[in-house]
Amino acid sequence: MKKIISLIVVAGLAFVSGCGKSNSSSGGSSNVTGGKKITVALMPKSKGNAYFISCKKGADKAANELGVDLVFDGPTDPDPAKQNEIVENWITLGVDAIAVACENREGISTALRKAKAKGIKVVTYDADALPNARDFFVNQATPEGIGYGLMDEAARLCGNEGEFAIITASLTAANMIEWQKYIEAHRADKYPNMKMIALRPCDDMKDKAQSEATALLSANPNLKCIMAICSPAVPGSAEAIKQAGKIGKVKLLGLGLPNENKRYVHDGVTDSVILWKTEDLGYLAVFAADALAKGDLKPGDKTIKAGPLGELQIEGDSILLGKPFIFNKSNIDQFDF
Ligand code: RAM
């Protein structure tokens, strides 16, 4: 396993250290409910997104280790209506647990509540539903940590002043909404001379991100920085900056996969890439869903022992994976995902 070195922990992470207080879930009991093997159904926001392909790798690993039957399905491209349809299918199939990354926080909640009412355990991961529509949210990192980290890094790249724009996945996904809220709060509090001039959704698609970034670059001659907060938007924006001949003039940072961004980082187009371990996120989503189905994870638990991920904190109904990392020229080649 590759060693993580020189990783700068994103500032402002608000991890509560309540270790070992009580009610630890270990996921240690047998993997059968009523004589049948546990089936966990896992859904990404979209199957074509490399981010979720990487989550799936970790999910497969957890399913193998735990002896879980893993059903995997999702829209090819982001599509909230299709997500609802798939949940309805899983209710009919009678799976034991569902783990879903939600494209539309409100939109999917009715279907998830229906699943819960039928006795199916529900976790969300990556992007949450409404709290009453699921049992737990498997959170990649605190939204404060992600939002503050992005804003600190953007301000550093811009010398604390100037115009920046955000390219987001969608205006309906809970993770994007939450992160953006903390980016703005931190900007207003710490960097009043940084001005956000635009927020553009790219539907979590690289091509659309590229055309949005191209439009932003040509309409805003004073733009100093693009902050791309969904993974396809980072290489999409990099391509736009490169083609506009603005390498180095417009800084770029975002939440992206090391493998999709290495060449842009080495070419000096992309300055910083921030992310968590996506495989671990997929692993934890399946682990938590299975533990819930077996009764090993219960409301009120403060920690969960998630196999190789060790003991993780649970804050309320949110299971925290850990802290994000910043990848740049000095360390990005050490990562392969
Ligand atoms: C995208 C997805 C996902 C987000 C990452 C950073 O691929 O929108 O929800 O967490 O980017």
Side-chain angles (χ1 to χ4, degrees):
M1 204 173 153
K2 291 197 169 146
K3 212 178 157 202
I4 300 170
I5 57 166
S6 337
L7 290 176
I8 307 159
V9 175
V10 171
L13 283 162
F15 282 90
V16 174
S17 59
C19 308
K21 276 200 184 135
S22 64
N23 304 347
S24 175
S25 298
S26 67
S29 47
S30 132
N31 225 319
V32 206
T33 44
K36 95 176 175 28
K37 225 174 153 188
I38 285 178
T39 300
V40 173
L42 179 78
M43 180 147 48
K45 280 184 177 172
S46 64
K47 287 191 287 190
N49 184 340
Y51 176 92
F52 289 103
I53 293 170
S54 175
C55 289
K56 165 78 164 38
K57 236 168 129 184
D60 285 335
K61 186 169 168 243
N64 285 336
E65 283 176 18
L66 298 166
V68 156
D69 275 334
L70 185 68
V71 174
F72 179 76
D73 200 3
T76 309
D77 292 329
D79 179 349
K82 181 76 188 164
Q83 283 205 319
N84 294 348
E85 203 182 300
I86 293 169
V87 172
E88 292 289 345
N89 288 345
W90 287 344
I91 294 172
T92 311
L93 263 178
V95 300
D96 299 296
I98 288 174
V100 57
C102 308
E103 184 59 37
N104 183 318
R105 174 166 53 186
E106 275 79 22
I108 200 163
S109 291
T110 308
L112 293 181
R113 272 192 296 265
K114 183 170 164 192
K116 276 184 71 180
K118 301 267 179 194
I120 297 172
K121 300 296 180 191
V122 177
V123 301
T124 50
Y125 72 101
D126 181 68
D128 204 1
L130 293 173
N132 66 5
R134 45 71 175 157
D135 299 290
F136 284 92
F137 172 44
V138 176
N139 199 355
Q140 48 272 56
T142 64
E144 296 95 316
I146 296 170
Y148 290 4
L150 283 163
M151 194 60 232
D152 285 334
E153 194 61 2
R156 186 185 70 78
L157 293 169
C158 293
N160 293 342
E161 61 178 13
E163 296 182 355
F164 72 103
I166 298 180
I167 300 192
T168 185
S170 80
L171 302 174
T172 59
N175 55 347
M176 303 288 144
I177 295 170
E178 288 295 302
W179 300 340
Q180 208 236 310
K181 212 166 75 190
Y182 285 102
I183 291 166
E184 173 50 24
H186 204 46
R187 186 208 62 75
D189 186 30
K190 294 266 188 257
Y191 309 108
N193 296 328
M194 294 284 296
K195 189 172 170 215
M196 194 186 97
I197 55 149
L199 170 72
R200 297 262 188 282
C202 72
D203 302 337
D204 233 356
M205 308 284 279
K206 184 179 167 222
D207 290 351
K208 176 133 192 250
Q210 185 175 339
S211 51
E212 290 294 346
T214 302
L216 283 167
L217 290 167
S218 74
N220 301 283
N222 296 325
L223 187 65
K224 262 186 147 174
C225 173
I226 295 179
M227 189 191 279
I229 66 171
C230 64
S231 59
V234 193
S237 303
E239 207 44 56
I241 290 174
K242 201 171 152 186
Q243 288 184 22
K246 295 205 167 166
I247 299 179
K249 291 190 196 106
V250 176
K251 305 288 183 189
L252 172 61
L253 80 158
L255 302 173
L257 296 158
N259 285 351
E260 285 191 323
N261 294 291
K262 276 179 189 163
R263 66 191 168 103
Y264 295 113
V265 167
H266 287 302
D267 289 350
V269 189
T270 304
D271 298 276
S272 312
V273 176
I274 301 176
L275 208 67
W276 37 92
K277 291 195 192 163
T278 39
E279 272 190 51
D280 289 353
L281 182 61
Y283 186 101
L284 186 57
V286 170
F287 194 98
D290 175 59
L292 254 175
K294 286 189 299 192
D296 289 336
L297 171 63
K298 293 175 292 301
D301 285 355
K302 301 284 181 233
T303 60
I304 180 169
K305 284 192 190 113
L309 303 184
E311 187 172 76
L312 301 173
Q313 301 302 304
I314 304 177
E315 288 178 6
D317 50 17
S318 190
I319 304 171
L320 278 177
L321 175 65
K323 300 174 182 183
F325 307 118
I326 299 183
F327 308 104
N328 50 35
K329 263 188 199 161
S330 72
N331 62 10
I332 199 162
D333 288 336
Q334 295 155 28
F335 299 90
D336 185 18
F337 66 101

